[in-house]
Amino acid sequence: GTNYLVDPDYTLRKDYIPTLANALNNGKMVSGPVNINSRLLKKQWIIEMEAVPEVLVLGSSRTLSLSGEAFPGKTFFNASVTNCTFQDMYVFLNLFEKKDKLPGTIVICADQWLFGDQFIEKRWLLNRKEFEEMAEKVGGISSEDFPSKWELDKEWVKELFSIRYLIRSLKYRGKAEKFEVQTAVVPNKMMFLPDGSRHLPDQLTGLSEKEVAGKAVNYFYSSPDEYFTELDSLQCRLFESLVMCLQSKGCDALLFIPSYHPETCKLLKHSAKTTGVFEAEKYVLDFAQKHQLKTAGRTNPADINLEEADFYDA
């Protein structure tokens, strides 16, 4: 009972989500630990949305800060979530499909790790039903190839009865960061803005180049997601089916390939364990050329004239 009622990490209760989604749909902003349960928040946000935007962004934290300013004169929504999977993208597209209209332009963040076999993310299972519905519409994707929702539900049950979480609940009772509805950007807060983009606090984006370079090196050694040498066939099928479905419906798909910090890229290039990162980029570029798709970005920052000063993390 204590774990459920206190729930300092917002992992057990979701009753706050409708209030936040309503505020965001009415032009307000939300501050707090916005990455937590962002899949459920953006799902509710889209469901309550009155008009389908002209531009939609589907991606991870690498596109979360992309705002409508990049598309002047067009209505815009950023449906990116932290550690986004292709399954998450299917979910959000299905929600727009139910509105009988898809956005005309859809930006897809082709994170390199999505094409390997080392990236493990279960939170998309929160919306597994919507994924199944969209996969059936797309065709060529069997839900039997993916874990059941119980794989995530059992983590919820473990947390509910966790002694570790009980200690944390008692320690942080009344002290956990709260969600707050705001009418203006608060510089030192992480926030969701009305167009779906995320504002990062100054202490994350205002580091010196030396500090950022240190984070960039640490990322290489601490992130196993990029440690793959071959592309995963199921992941490629998810990607290709998604893009071809969009093309068949007359949507203009733009594929974004995120750049790594120069130090991170250098380490990736010189490691035999991460050759898959560059194979993924080649695969995306070849696919885009074959199907006449627009692309933006490159894995190597030097290819698009980016320098260390352009990065705030890896």
Side-chain angles (χ1 to χ4, degrees):
T2 300
N3 282 357
Y4 184 79
L5 291 172
V6 177
D7 195 20
D9 297 335
Y10 296 93
T11 57
L12 300 175
R13 294 171 60 185
K14 315 292 189 298
D15 52 343
Y16 60 92
I17 286 176
T19 301
L20 301 183
N22 181 262
L24 289 159
N25 268 314
N26 283 288
K28 300 290 196 304
M29 306 174 190
V30 167
S31 65
V34 296
N35 290 336
I36 294 174
N37 293 324
S38 59
R39 286 165 173 80
L40 292 178
L41 176 56
K42 290 208 165 174
K43 175 184 175 181
Q44 188 67 29
W45 195 340
I46 293 169
I47 289 172
E48 294 182 13
M49 197 177 288
E50 291 185 3
V52 172
E54 295 170 271
V55 180
L56 174 68
V57 180
L58 300 172
S60 64
S61 57
R62 294 177 173 184
T63 47
L64 254 175
S65 294
L66 183 60
S67 74
E69 293 178 3
F71 300 88
K74 299 201 174 212
T75 55
F76 172 95
F77 185 70
N78 191 327
S80 300
V81 292
T82 305
N83 279 4
C84 182
T85 64
F86 288 132
Q87 292 93 323
D88 287 309
M89 298 182 192
Y90 276 64
V91 169
F92 294 134
L93 283 173
N94 188 49
L95 295 173
F96 282 109
E97 271 267 297
K98 291 181 178 180
K99 295 178 181 288
D100 297 322
K101 182 182 178 183
L102 286 174
T105 299
I106 299 179
V107 179
I108 295 176
C109 183
D111 282 310
Q112 293 86 338
W113 60 55
L114 288 175
F115 300 93
D117 59 359
Q118 295 302 302
F119 176 60
I120 307 297
E121 175 57 71
K122 295 180 181 179
R123 284 175 291 179
W124 70 268
L125 289 167
L126 286 164
N127 301 314
R128 194 183 195 280
K129 180 174 176 289
E130 286 77 12
F131 164 70
E132 288 178 12
E133 291 175 358
M134 192 64 194
E136 188 173 338
K137 295 173 189 175
V138 166
I141 303 293
S142 172
S143 60
E144 295 179 0
D145 291 330
F146 304 94
S148 70
K149 192 170 180 291
W150 171 244
E151 288 298 312
L152 189 67
D153 289 343
K154 67 183 179 183
E155 299 298 324
W156 188 93
V157 174
K158 287 179 185 176
E159 195 81 320
L160 182 64
F161 293 97
S162 167
I163 297 299
R164 178 200 62 79
Y165 202 53
L166 174 62
I167 294 170
R168 186 167 174 78
S169 296
L170 294 172
K171 181 178 179 181
Y172 289 98
R173 185 176 54 183
K175 300 176 185 176
E177 186 179 8
K178 292 181 171 57
F179 286 98
E180 295 179 286
V181 175
Q182 309 282 1
T183 56
V185 171
V186 182
N188 63 339
K189 293 274 191 181
M190 189 175 292
M191 304 179 69
F192 269 143
L193 307 183
D195 65 359
S197 62
R198 181 182 66 177
H199 165 78
L200 289 171
D202 294 346
Q203 58 263 37
L204 289 182
T205 59
L207 299 176
S208 68
E209 284 188 39
K210 184 178 180 181
E211 290 173 311
V212 174
K215 289 179 68 176
V217 171
N218 289 337
Y219 175 87
F220 171 79
Y221 292 107
S222 63
S223 173
D225 297 337
E226 284 87 356
Y227 283 53
F228 65 98
T229 57
E230 295 180 356
L231 304 188
D232 184 271
S233 60
L234 179 57
Q235 293 296 101
C236 291
R237 186 146 45 93
L238 278 169
F239 168 72
E240 291 183 14
S241 298
L242 175 70
V243 176
M244 297 310 295
C245 175
L246 293 178
Q247 278 202 317
S248 71
K249 293 178 181 291
C251 299
D252 183 17
L254 187 153
L255 307 181
F256 171 59
I257 302 171
S259 298
Y260 287 90
H261 185 284
E263 289 296 325
T264 312
C265 187
K266 185 163 60 177
L267 290 166
L268 290 169
K269 286 176 69 176
H270 289 92
S271 172
K273 298 178 181 179
T274 56
T275 55
V277 168
F278 301 95
E279 287 296 318
E281 178 189 52
K282 183 179 184 304
Y283 162 76
V284 171
L285 291 175
D286 288 346
F287 181 83
Q289 184 177 26
K290 179 180 177 181
H291 297 283
Q292 299 181 313
L293 297 165
K294 297 175 184 176
T295 63
R298 290 293 184 273
T299 300
N300 188 340
D303 290 346
I304 49 175
N305 300 316
L306 292 178
E307 301 174 347
E308 289 194 18
D310 297 309
F311 292 80
Y312 62 80
D313 64 12

